[in-house]
Coordinates of all heavy atoms in Angstrom, one line a residue:
M101 N -13.0 -6.0 -18.7 CA -11.6 -5.8 -18.3 C -11.0 -7.2 -18.2 O -11.6 -8.2 -17.9 CB -11.5 -5.1 -16.9 CG -11.9 -3.6 -16.9 SD -11.9 -3.0 -15.4 CE -10.2 -3.2 -14.9
T102 N -9.7 -7.3 -18.7 CA -9.0 -8.4 -18.5 C -8.4 -8.7 -17.2 O -8.1 -7.7 -16.6 CB -7.9 -8.5 -19.6 OG1 -7.0 -7.3 -19.4 CG2 -8.4 -8.4 -21.0
E103 N -8.3 -9.9 -16.9 CA -7.7 -10.2 -15.5 C -6.2 -9.7 -15.4 O -5.5 -10.1 -16.4 CB -7.8 -11.6 -15.2 CG -9.3 -11.9 -14.8 CD -9.4 -13.4 -14.1 OE1 -8.5 -13.6 -13.4 OE2 -10.3 -14.1 -14.5
S104 N -5.8 -9.2 -14.3 CA -4.6 -8.7 -14.2 C -3.9 -9.3 -12.9 O -4.6 -9.3 -11.9 CB -4.3 -7.2 -14.2 OG -3.2 -6.9 -13.8
Y105 N -2.8 -9.8 -13.0 CA -2.2 -10.4 -11.9 C -1.1 -9.6 -11.3 O -0.3 -10.0 -10.5 CB -1.5 -11.9 -12.2 CG -2.7 -12.8 -12.3 CD1 -3.3 -13.1 -13.6 CD2 -3.2 -13.4 -11.3 CE1 -4.2 -14.0 -13.8 CE2 -4.3 -14.4 -11.5 CZ -4.7 -14.7 -12.7 OH -5.8 -15.4 -12.9
A106 N -1.1 -8.3 -11.8 CA 0.0 -7.5 -11.3 C -0.2 -7.1 -9.9 O -1.4 -7.1 -9.4 CB 0.0 -6.2 -12.2
V107 N 0.7 -6.8 -9.1 CA 0.7 -6.5 -7.8 C 0.2 -5.1 -7.5 O 0.5 -4.2 -8.2 CB 2.0 -6.6 -7.0 CG1 1.9 -6.3 -5.6 CG2 2.6 -8.0 -7.2
R108 N -0.9 -5.1 -6.6 CA -1.5 -3.7 -6.4 C -0.9 -3.2 -5.1 O -1.1 -3.8 -4.1 CB -3.0 -3.8 -6.4 CG -3.6 -2.4 -6.5 CD -5.0 -2.5 -6.4 NE -5.7 -3.2 -7.6 CZ -7.0 -3.3 -7.7 NH1 -7.8 -2.9 -7.0 NH2 -7.4 -4.0 -8.9
T109 N -0.3 -2.0 -5.2 CA 0.3 -1.4 -3.9 C -0.9 -0.8 -3.1 O -1.7 0.0 -3.8 CB 1.3 -0.5 -4.4 OG1 2.3 -1.0 -5.1 CG2 1.9 0.2 -3.1
V110 N -0.9 -1.1 -2.0 CA -1.9 -0.6 -1.0 C -1.2 0.2 0.2 O -0.1 -0.3 0.5 CB -2.9 -1.6 -0.4 CG1 -3.8 -2.1 -1.6 CG2 -2.2 -2.7 0.1
Y111 N -1.8 1.1 0.7 CA -1.2 1.8 2.0 C -1.9 1.6 3.2 O -1.9 2.4 4.1 CB -1.1 3.3 1.5 CG -0.3 3.6 0.3 CD1 -0.9 3.7 -1.0 CD2 1.1 3.6 0.3 CE1 -0.2 4.0 -2.1 CE2 1.8 3.8 -0.8 CZ 1.2 4.0 -2.0 OH 1.9 4.2 -3.1
E112 N -2.7 0.5 3.2 CA -3.6 0.2 4.4 C -2.9 -1.1 5.0 O -2.7 -2.0 4.2 CB -5.0 0.0 4.0 CG -5.6 1.3 3.4 CD -6.9 0.9 2.7 OE1 -7.8 0.8 3.4 OE2 -6.9 0.7 1.5
F113 N -3.0 -1.1 6.3 CA -2.6 -2.3 7.0 C -3.2 -2.5 8.3 O -3.4 -1.3 8.9 CB -1.0 -2.3 7.1 CG -0.3 -3.5 7.7 CD1 -0.1 -4.6 6.9 CD2 0.0 -3.6 9.0 CE1 0.4 -5.7 7.3 CE2 0.6 -4.8 9.4 CZ 0.7 -5.9 8.7
P114 N -3.6 -3.6 8.7 CA -3.3 -5.0 8.1 C -4.4 -5.3 7.2 O -4.4 -6.4 6.6 CB -3.3 -5.9 9.3 CG -4.3 -5.2 10.3 CD -4.1 -3.8 10.0
V115 N -5.5 -4.5 7.0 CA -6.6 -5.0 6.0 C -6.7 -3.9 5.0 O -6.8 -2.7 5.2 CB -7.8 -5.1 6.7 CG1 -8.9 -5.3 5.8 CG2 -7.8 -6.1 7.8
A116 N -6.6 -4.2 3.7 CA -6.8 -3.4 2.6 C -8.1 -3.7 1.8 O -8.5 -4.8 1.5 CB -5.6 -3.6 1.7
G117 N -8.8 -2.6 1.6 CA -10.1 -2.6 0.8 C -9.9 -2.4 -0.6 O -8.9 -1.6 -0.9
H118 N -10.7 -3.1 -1.4 CA -10.6 -2.9 -2.9 C -11.9 -3.2 -3.4 O -12.8 -3.9 -2.9 CB -9.6 -3.7 -3.5 CG -10.0 -5.2 -3.6 ND1 -10.1 -6.0 -2.5 CD2 -10.3 -6.0 -4.6 CE1 -10.4 -7.2 -2.9 NE2 -10.6 -7.2 -4.2
L119 N -12.2 -2.7 -4.7 CA -13.4 -2.9 -5.3 C -13.2 -4.2 -6.1 O -12.4 -4.2 -7.1 CB -13.6 -1.7 -6.3 CG -15.0 -1.7 -7.0 CD1 -16.3 -1.7 -6.0 CD2 -15.1 -0.6 -8.0
C120 N -14.0 -5.2 -5.8 CA -13.7 -6.5 -6.4 C -14.5 -6.6 -7.6 O -15.2 -5.8 -8.2 CB -14.1 -7.5 -5.4 SG -13.4 -9.1 -5.6
S121 N -14.2 -7.8 -8.3 CA -14.7 -8.0 -9.6 C -16.3 -8.1 -9.6 O -16.8 -7.9 -10.7 CB -14.2 -9.3 -10.2 OG -14.3 -10.4 -9.3
D122 N -16.9 -8.5 -8.5 CA -18.3 -8.4 -8.5 C -19.0 -7.1 -8.1 O -20.2 -7.0 -7.9 CB -18.7 -9.5 -7.5 CG -18.2 -9.2 -6.1 OD1 -17.6 -8.3 -5.9 OD2 -18.7 -9.8 -5.1
G123 N -18.1 -6.2 -8.0 CA -18.7 -4.8 -7.8 C -18.8 -4.4 -6.4 O -19.3 -3.3 -6.1
S124 N -18.5 -5.3 -5.4 CA -18.6 -5.0 -4.1 C -17.1 -4.7 -3.5 O -16.1 -5.2 -4.0 CB -19.2 -6.0 -3.3 OG -18.5 -7.3 -3.4
V125 N -17.1 -4.1 -2.4 CA -15.8 -3.8 -1.7 C -15.4 -4.9 -0.8 O -16.3 -5.3 0.1 CB -15.9 -2.4 -1.0 CG1 -14.6 -2.1 -0.2 CG2 -16.2 -1.3 -1.8
R126 N -14.3 -5.5 -1.1 CA -13.9 -6.6 -0.2 C -12.6 -6.1 0.4 O -11.8 -5.4 0.0 CB -13.6 -7.8 -1.1 CG -14.9 -8.4 -1.6 CD -14.6 -9.5 -2.5 NE -14.0 -10.6 -1.8 CZ -14.9 -11.6 -1.3 NH1 -16.2 -11.6 -1.5 NH2 -14.2 -12.7 -0.7
F127 N -12.4 -6.7 1.8 CA -11.3 -6.3 2.6 C -10.4 -7.6 2.6 O -10.7 -8.7 3.0 CB -11.8 -5.9 3.8 CG -12.4 -4.5 3.9 CD1 -13.8 -4.6 3.7 CD2 -11.7 -3.4 3.8 CE1 -14.5 -3.2 3.7 CE2 -12.3 -2.3 3.8 CZ -13.7 -2.1 3.6
I128 N -9.1 -7.4 2.2 CA -8.1 -8.5 2.3 C -7.1 -8.2 3.4 O -6.7 -7.2 3.6 CB -7.4 -8.5 1.0 CG1 -8.3 -8.6 -0.2 CG2 -6.4 -9.7 0.9 CD1 -9.4 -9.7 -0.1
R129 N -6.9 -9.4 4.1 CA -6.0 -9.3 5.3 C -4.5 -9.4 4.8 O -4.3 -10.5 4.0 CB -6.2 -10.2 6.3 CG -5.2 -10.4 7.3 CD -5.8 -11.3 8.5 NE -6.6 -10.7 9.2 CZ -6.5 -9.9 10.3 NH1 -5.3 -9.7 10.6 NH2 -7.5 -9.3 11.0
L130 N -3.7 -8.6 5.0 CA -2.3 -8.7 4.5 C -1.3 -9.3 5.7 O -1.5 -8.9 6.8 CB -1.8 -7.3 4.2 CG -2.6 -6.4 3.3 CD1 -2.1 -5.1 3.2 CD2 -2.6 -7.1 1.9
V131 N -0.7 -10.3 5.2 CA 0.2 -11.0 6.2 C 1.7 -10.9 5.8 O 1.9 -10.9 4.7 CB -0.3 -12.4 6.3 CG1 -1.7 -12.7 6.9 CG2 -0.2 -13.1 4.9
R132 N 2.4 -10.8 6.8 CA 3.9 -10.6 6.5 C 4.4 -12.0 6.7 O 4.3 -12.8 7.6 CB 4.4 -9.8 7.7 CG 5.9 -9.4 7.4 CD 6.5 -8.7 8.7 NE 5.7 -7.4 9.0 CZ 5.9 -6.3 8.5 NH1 6.9 -6.1 7.8 NH2 5.2 -5.2 8.8
R133 N 5.2 -12.4 5.7 CA 5.9 -13.8 5.6 C 7.1 -13.8 6.6 O 7.8 -12.9 6.6 CB 6.3 -14.0 4.3 CG 5.1 -14.2 3.3 CD 5.4 -14.6 1.9 NE 4.4 -14.6 1.0 CZ 4.4 -14.8 -0.3 NH1 5.6 -15.0 -0.8 NH2 3.3 -14.9 -1.1
R134 N 7.1 -14.8 7.1 CA 8.2 -14.9 8.2 C 9.6 -15.2 7.6 O 9.7 -15.8 6.6 CB 8.0 -16.1 9.1 CG 8.5 -16.0 10.6 CD 8.1 -17.2 11.3 NE 6.6 -17.2 11.5 CZ 6.1 -18.4 12.0 NH1 6.7 -19.4 12.5 NH2 4.7 -18.4 12.1
G135 N 10.5 -14.4 8.0 CA 11.9 -14.6 7.5 C 12.0 -14.0 6.1 O 12.7 -14.6 5.3
N136 N 11.2 -13.1 5.8 CA 11.3 -12.7 4.4 C 11.2 -11.1 4.4 O 10.7 -10.5 5.2 CB 10.0 -13.2 3.6 CG 10.3 -13.2 2.1 OD1 11.0 -12.3 1.6 ND2 9.5 -14.0 1.4
Q137 N 12.0 -10.6 3.5 CA 12.1 -9.0 3.4 C 11.0 -8.4 2.6 O 10.9 -7.2 2.6 CB 13.4 -8.7 2.9 CG 14.6 -9.0 3.9 CD 15.9 -8.5 3.4 OE1 16.1 -8.1 2.3 NE2 16.9 -8.3 4.2
H138 N 10.2 -9.4 2.1 CA 9.0 -8.7 1.3 C 8.1 -8.1 2.2 O 7.9 -8.5 3.4 CB 8.4 -9.8 0.5 CG 9.2 -10.2 -0.8 ND1 9.4 -9.4 -1.8 CD2 10.0 -11.3 -0.9 CE1 10.2 -10.0 -2.7 NE2 10.5 -11.2 -2.2
P139 N 7.4 -7.1 1.7 CA 6.4 -6.5 2.6 C 5.2 -7.4 2.7 O 5.0 -8.3 1.8 CB 6.0 -5.2 1.8 CG 6.5 -5.5 0.4 CD 7.6 -6.4 0.5
P140 N 4.3 -7.0 3.6 CA 3.0 -7.9 3.8 C 2.2 -8.0 2.5 O 2.1 -6.9 1.8 CB 2.3 -7.2 4.9 CG 3.4 -6.5 5.6 CD 4.3 -6.0 4.6
Q141 N 1.8 -9.1 2.2 CA 0.9 -9.3 1.1 C -0.3 -10.0 1.3 O -0.5 -10.7 2.3 CB 1.8 -10.1 0.0 CG 3.0 -9.4 -0.6 CD 3.7 -10.2 -1.6 OE1 3.7 -11.4 -1.6 NE2 4.5 -9.6 -2.5
G142 N -1.3 -10.0 0.4 CA -2.5 -10.6 0.5 C -3.1 -10.8 -0.8 O -2.9 -10.0 -1.7
V143 N -4.0 -12.0 -1.0 CA -4.5 -12.3 -2.3 C -6.0 -12.3 -1.9 O -6.5 -13.0 -1.1 CB -4.0 -13.5 -2.8 CG1 -4.6 -13.9 -4.0 CG2 -2.5 -13.4 -2.9
C144 N -6.7 -11.7 -3.0 CA -8.2 -11.8 -2.9 C -8.6 -13.2 -3.4 O -8.1 -13.6 -4.5 CB -8.9 -10.6 -3.7 SG -10.6 -10.9 -3.7
T145 N -9.5 -13.9 -2.7 CA -9.8 -15.3 -3.1 C -10.8 -15.2 -4.2 O -11.2 -16.3 -4.8 CB -10.5 -16.0 -1.8 OG1 -11.5 -15.3 -1.3 CG2 -9.4 -16.2 -0.8
R146 N -11.4 -14.1 -4.5 CA -12.4 -13.9 -5.5 C -11.8 -13.5 -6.8 O -12.0 -14.2 -7.8 CB -13.4 -13.0 -5.1 CG -14.7 -13.1 -5.9 CD -15.8 -12.1 -5.3 NE -17.1 -12.4 -5.9 CZ -18.1 -13.2 -5.3 NH1 -17.7 -13.5 -4.0 NH2 -19.2 -13.4 -5.8
C147 N -11.1 -12.3 -6.8 CA -10.6 -11.9 -8.1 C -9.1 -12.2 -8.3 O -8.4 -11.8 -9.3 CB -10.9 -10.5 -8.4 SG -10.0 -9.5 -7.1
H148 N -8.5 -12.8 -7.2 CA -7.1 -13.2 -7.2 C -6.1 -12.1 -7.5 O -5.0 -12.2 -8.0 CB -6.8 -14.3 -8.4 CG -7.7 -15.5 -8.3 ND1 -7.6 -16.5 -7.2 CD2 -8.9 -15.9 -8.9 CE1 -8.5 -17.3 -7.3 NE2 -9.2 -17.1 -8.3
Q149 N -6.6 -11.0 -7.0 CA -5.7 -9.7 -7.1 C -4.7 -9.8 -5.9 O -5.1 -10.1 -4.8 CB -6.5 -8.5 -7.0 CG -5.6 -7.3 -6.9 CD -4.9 -6.9 -8.2 OE1 -5.4 -6.8 -9.2 NE2 -3.6 -6.8 -8.0
L150 N -3.4 -9.6 -6.2 CA -2.3 -9.6 -5.2 C -2.2 -8.2 -4.8 O -2.0 -7.3 -5.6 CB -1.1 -10.3 -5.8 CG 0.0 -10.2 -4.9 CD1 -0.3 -11.1 -3.7 CD2 1.4 -10.7 -5.7
F151 N -2.2 -8.1 -3.4 CA -2.0 -6.8 -2.8 C -0.6 -6.8 -2.0 O -0.3 -7.8 -1.5 CB -3.1 -6.4 -2.0 CG -4.4 -6.3 -2.7 CD1 -5.3 -7.4 -2.7 CD2 -4.8 -5.2 -3.3 CE1 -6.4 -7.4 -3.3 CE2 -6.0 -5.1 -3.9 CZ -6.8 -6.2 -4.1
E152 N 0.0 -5.7 -2.1 CA 1.3 -5.7 -1.5 C 1.3 -4.2 -0.6 O 1.1 -3.2 -1.2 CB 2.5 -5.6 -2.3 CG 3.8 -5.6 -1.6 CD 4.9 -5.8 -2.7 OE1 5.1 -7.0 -3.1 OE2 5.4 -4.8 -3.0
Y153 N 1.6 -4.4 0.8 CA 1.5 -3.1 1.5 C 2.9 -2.4 1.3 O 4.0 -3.0 1.4 CB 1.4 -3.5 2.9 CG 1.6 -2.3 3.9 CD1 0.6 -1.3 4.0 CD2 2.7 -2.2 4.7 CE1 0.8 -0.4 4.7 CE2 2.9 -1.2 5.5 CZ 1.9 -0.1 5.5 OH 2.1 0.9 6.5
R154 N 2.7 -1.1 1.3 CA 3.9 -0.3 1.2 C 3.7 0.9 2.1 O 2.6 1.5 2.2 CB 4.2 0.2 -0.2 CG 5.5 0.9 -0.3 CD 5.8 1.1 -1.8 NE 5.9 -0.3 -2.5 CZ 6.3 -0.5 -3.7 NH1 6.3 0.5 -4.6 NH2 6.3 -1.8 -4.2
K155 N 4.7 1.3 2.9 CA 4.5 2.4 3.7 C 4.3 3.6 3.0 O 5.0 3.9 1.9 CB 5.8 2.5 4.6 CG 6.0 1.4 5.6 CD 7.4 1.6 6.5 CE 7.5 0.6 7.4 NZ 8.8 0.7 8.2
P156 N 3.5 4.6 3.4 CA 3.2 5.8 2.7 C 4.5 6.6 2.7 O 5.1 6.7 3.8 CB 2.2 6.4 3.5 CG 1.4 5.4 4.3 CD 2.5 4.3 4.5
Q157 N 4.8 7.2 1.7 CA 6.0 7.8 1.5 C 5.7 9.4 1.8 O 4.7 9.9 1.6 CB 6.6 7.9 0.1 CG 7.1 6.6 -0.3 CD 7.8 6.5 -1.6 OE1 7.6 7.4 -2.5 NE2 8.7 5.7 -1.9
R158 N 6.7 9.9 2.5 CA 6.5 11.3 2.9 C 6.7 12.1 1.6 O 7.5 11.8 0.7 CB 7.6 11.7 3.9 CG 7.1 11.0 5.3 CD 8.2 11.4 6.3 NE 8.1 10.6 7.5 CZ 9.0 10.7 8.5 NH1 10.1 11.5 8.4 NH2 8.8 10.0 9.6
S159 N 6.1 13.4 1.6 CA 6.4 14.2 0.5 C 7.7 14.7 0.5 O 8.3 15.0 1.5 CB 5.5 15.4 0.7 OG 5.6 16.3 -0.4
R160 N 8.3 14.6 -0.8 CA 9.7 15.0 -0.9 C 9.8 16.6 -1.1 O 11.0 16.9 -1.2 CB 10.3 14.3 -2.1 CG 10.5 12.8 -1.7 CD 11.4 12.2 -2.9 NE 11.7 10.7 -2.6 CZ 12.6 10.0 -3.2 NH1 13.3 10.5 -4.2 NH2 12.8 8.7 -2.8
V161 N 8.7 17.1 -1.4 CA 8.8 18.5 -1.4 C 9.2 19.3 -0.1 O 8.6 19.1 0.9 CB 7.4 19.2 -1.9 CG1 7.5 20.7 -2.0 CG2 7.0 18.5 -3.3
R162 N 10.4 19.8 -0.2 CA 10.9 20.5 0.9 C 10.4 21.9 1.0 O 10.5 22.8 0.1 CB 12.4 20.5 0.9 CG 13.0 21.0 2.1 CD 14.5 20.9 2.1 NE 14.9 19.5 1.9 CZ 16.2 19.1 1.8 NH1 17.2 20.1 1.9 NH2 16.6 17.9 1.8
H163 N 9.6 22.2 2.1 CA 9.1 23.5 2.3 C 9.9 24.4 3.2 O 10.3 23.9 4.3 CB 7.6 23.4 2.7 CG 7.4 22.5 3.9 ND1 7.6 22.9 5.1 CD2 7.0 21.2 3.8 CE1 7.3 21.7 5.8 NE2 7.0 20.8 5.3
Y164 N 10.3 25.5 2.7 CA 11.2 26.3 3.5 C 10.4 27.2 4.5 O 9.3 27.6 4.2 CB 12.0 27.3 2.6 CG 12.8 26.5 1.6 CD1 12.3 26.3 0.3 CD2 14.1 26.2 1.9 CE1 13.1 25.5 -0.6 CE2 14.9 25.4 1.0 CZ 14.4 25.1 -0.3 OH 15.2 24.4 -1.2
T165 N 11.0 27.2 5.7 CA 10.2 28.0 6.7 C 10.6 29.4 6.4 O 11.7 29.8 6.2 CB 10.6 27.6 8.0 OG1 12.0 27.7 8.2 CG2 10.3 26.1 8.4
S166 N 9.5 30.3 6.6 CA 9.8 31.7 6.3 C 10.3 32.3 7.5 O 10.9 33.5 7.4 CB 8.4 32.3 6.0 OG 7.5 32.1 7.0
D167 N 10.0 31.8 8.7 CA 10.7 32.3 9.9 C 12.0 31.7 10.3 O 12.3 30.5 9.8 CB 9.7 32.4 11.0 CG 9.2 30.9 11.3 OD1 9.5 30.1 10.5 OD2 8.8 30.7 12.4
G168 N 12.7 32.3 11.2 CA 13.9 31.6 11.5 C 15.2 32.2 10.9 O 16.2 32.2 11.6
A169 N 15.1 32.7 9.7 CA 16.3 33.3 9.2 C 16.0 34.8 8.8 O 16.6 35.4 7.9 CB 16.6 32.7 7.8
S170 N 15.1 35.4 9.6 CA 14.8 36.8 9.3 C 15.6 37.7 10.1 O 15.6 39.0 9.9 CB 13.3 37.0 9.4 OG 12.9 36.7 10.7
H171 N 16.2 37.3 11.2 CA 16.9 38.2 12.0 C 18.4 38.0 11.7 O 19.0 36.9 11.5 CB 16.7 38.1 13.5 CG 16.9 36.7 13.9 ND1 18.1 36.3 14.4 CD2 16.0 35.6 14.1 CE1 18.0 35.0 14.9 NE2 16.7 34.6 14.6
F172 N 19.2 39.1 11.9 CA 20.7 39.0 11.7 C 21.4 39.0 13.0 O 21.0 39.9 13.8 CB 21.1 40.2 10.8 CG 20.6 40.2 9.4 CD1 19.4 40.9 9.2 CD2 21.2 39.5 8.4 CE1 18.7 40.8 7.9 CE2 20.6 39.5 7.2 CZ 19.4 40.1 6.9
Ligands
ZN616 ZN1 -11.3 -9.0 -5.1

C-alpha cells in the first residue's frame, strides 16, 4: 500500500485507535487546537496518518411514530 496523507475521520475522542503500518493497533491522542475552529486532530508518529475527530451524525432517516395520530 502506498502511503496516504489524507485525513482519516474518526468518531472517537480523545483517543482514536487505528491499525498501524506495523500491523498493531495504536491509539492516537487527539488534541484541539486553541483558537481554531478545526476539530481535534492527531498524528500517528509511526505511520504519519492524520486523524480528525468528527461528531457522530445522527441518522437522517425520520421514523414516523405509529401511535399518536390514530385517534380523531
Ligand atoms: Zn499509525
